[in-house]
Amino acid sequence: MSHPAGPPPVVAQPGPVMQQQMVAMPPPPPVPGCPPGLEYLAQLDQVMVEQEVHMLEVLTGFEVKNKFRIMNSQNQQVYYAAEESGTLMRICCGPSRGFVYHITDNFNQVSKTIYQKVILFSRKFHAHLCNKIPSVYNYTH
């Protein structure tokens, strides 16, 4: 009995899909006078920032917590940045929202934290919103 023309039948389950491997920059030596965690920056001549794409945001248009890979000129990851913000703040305020970014090194140690309070045009609206969601903007440095 002969098989019809076409691709051969699948007789085994496919293996795992290989994803692109992240290459990390090797740990830098200590730099005198440089704050801990920022030694990588003393070695860099260029920094590239790549935002991770979230399918939920692409498909729905709703803002999600942003995440970024921070790389050197050899495309090696130096830092990782992750946003901390509330869902309601992202939906209601969009790019004017308050947030906290945690910048971590390749060993998941926080190197820097960036704070941004909500940016609104009306003080009255700002006070009203902040009374409704106090935990979103009351970050301390």
Side-chain angles (χ1 to χ4, degrees), residues 9 13 15 19 21 28 31 34-35 38 40 43 66 72 75 78 83 89 91-92 107-108 120 131:
Q13 292 293 324
Q19 293 184 349
Q21 189 71 13
V31 177
C34 184
L38 300 179
Y40 285 102
Q43 299 180 16
N66 291 311
N72 64 14
N75 211 32
V78 180
E83 175 184 349
M89 186 63 73
I91 291 171
C92 294
F107 302 101
N108 209 27
L120 297 173
N131 287 333

Side-chain angles (χ1 to χ4, degrees), residues 25 28-29 31 34 38-45 79:
M25 183 175 170
V31 177
C34 184
L38 300 179
E39 297 91 354
Y40 285 102
L41 295 177
Q43 299 180 16
L44 300 179
D45 60 343
Y79 295 103

Side-chain angles (χ1 to χ4, degrees), residues 32-141:
C34 184
L38 300 179
E39 297 91 354
Y40 285 102
L41 295 177
Q43 299 180 16
L44 300 179
D45 60 343
Q46 179 182 6
V47 175
M48 298 181 297
V49 179
E50 178 182 280
Q51 183 175 2
E52 292 183 5
V53 177
H54 298 272
M55 290 309 295
L56 178 66
E57 190 169 3
V58 171
L59 296 174
T60 65
F62 288 119
E63 291 276 343
V64 297
K65 294 179 184 179
N66 291 311
K67 296 178 182 177
F68 299 91
R69 290 179 57 212
I70 303 167
M71 298 168 289
N72 64 14
S73 57
Q74 285 84 38
N75 211 32
Q76 297 172 320
Q77 182 170 314
V78 180
Y79 295 103
Y80 185 78
E83 175 184 349
E84 179 184 329
S85 62
T87 303
L88 185 59
M89 186 63 73
R90 288 192 307 274
I91 291 171
C92 294
C93 300
S96 298
R97 68 184 175 266
F99 56 79
V100 176
Y101 270 102
H102 301 285
I103 314 285
T104 57
D105 64 14
N106 292 320
F107 302 101
N108 209 27
Q109 300 297 313
V110 175
S111 297
K112 186 75 177 160
T113 302
I114 300 171
Y115 301 86
Q116 173 64 55
K117 292 185 178 184
V118 64
I119 302 167
L120 297 173
F121 299 108
S122 164
R123 288 187 183 269
K124 184 177 178 183
F125 179 72
H126 180 267
H128 174 72
L129 179 65
C130 293
N131 287 333
K132 298 288 184 194
I133 319 169
S135 63
V136 174
Y137 82 104
N138 284 332
Y139 294 106
T140 57
H141 296 260

